[in-house]
Amino acid sequence: MKALALLLALQLGSAQALEPGQPAPDIALPQATLPVQQLAGLRGQLIYLDFWASWCGPCRQSFPWMGELQQKYGARGLQVLAINLDKQRADADAFLARHPAGFALAFDPQGEAARRFAIKGMPSSVLIGPDGRVLWAHRGFRPEEAAELEARIVKALPR
């Protein structure tokens, strides 16, 4: 029921899907575990922006992988940032107790960031270049796709 309500709310937003080359919206990062409170504050880094919720099954699989990405490529300019969309922070905290995040988090119970990025499902990710432009977007997470996604991220890392 929570999933259906969130998906419906996200689809009712007026945002258009972002295309590669478009500037990423400068969203607020509510309750971020980063020193910046706006996405623009990360300009100059390659950003793997992930949208997740506690009820999302594939998110359980993507969290360890995103932690590995941050550990392997953070020194080369990658910033993994996952934005939680649960209405209740306690739901996100319970998920995080079972699946710790080795990367930055923000919490957006109103779903404003997801609307601005036209997110249609969980998890969804957007790779944003150091110039603030969308490089690509991806919906879902399957372990068999992880190597391909990582290769695309590595190719986009600043030289």
Side-chain angles (χ1 to χ4, degrees):
M1 187 67 163
K2 287 184 199 177
L4 181 60
L6 178 62
L7 289 175
L8 183 59
L10 293 175
Q11 290 177 346
L12 291 176
S14 61
Q16 297 290 334
L18 294 174
E19 297 293 327
Q22 287 184 303
D26 184 22
I27 57 172
L29 302 176
Q31 305 172 45
T33 60
L34 291 165
V36 299
Q37 296 299 305
Q38 292 288 133
L39 188 61
L42 297 174
R43 184 80 40 98
Q45 297 179 67
L46 182 66
I47 303 163
Y48 185 82
L49 182 64
D50 182 75
F51 292 89
W52 69 282
S54 63
W55 47 261
C56 166
C59 296
R60 293 181 199 111
Q61 297 176 315
S62 67
F63 263 55
W65 177 74
M66 290 189 297
E68 290 173 16
L69 286 177
Q70 185 63 60
Q71 184 176 21
K72 286 166 66 173
Y73 305 113
R76 292 183 53 194
L78 176 67
Q79 177 62 66
V80 176
L81 171 60
I83 299 178
N84 176 265
L85 300 174
D86 283 305
K87 294 283 184 207
Q88 302 298 318
R89 176 66 185 263
D91 294 337
D93 290 341
F95 177 97
L96 292 168
R98 292 185 310 273
H99 310 283
F103 43 85
L105 297 167
F107 300 89
D108 185 16
Q110 304 307 315
E112 180 59 29
R115 278 190 290 282
R116 301 270 317 272
F117 274 88
I119 298 302
K120 303 284 190 232
M122 296 293 139
S124 287
S125 56
V126 179
L127 191 68
I128 303 169
D131 64 355
R133 295 189 176 278
V134 172
L135 297 175
W136 50 265
H138 184 270
R139 187 173 11 175
F141 181 82
R142 289 181 284 295
E144 61 271 15
E145 295 177 335
E148 178 188 337
L149 291 171
E150 184 173 347
R152 293 175 74 188
I153 291 166
V154 169
K155 184 177 177 183
L157 283 169
R159 304 273 178 234

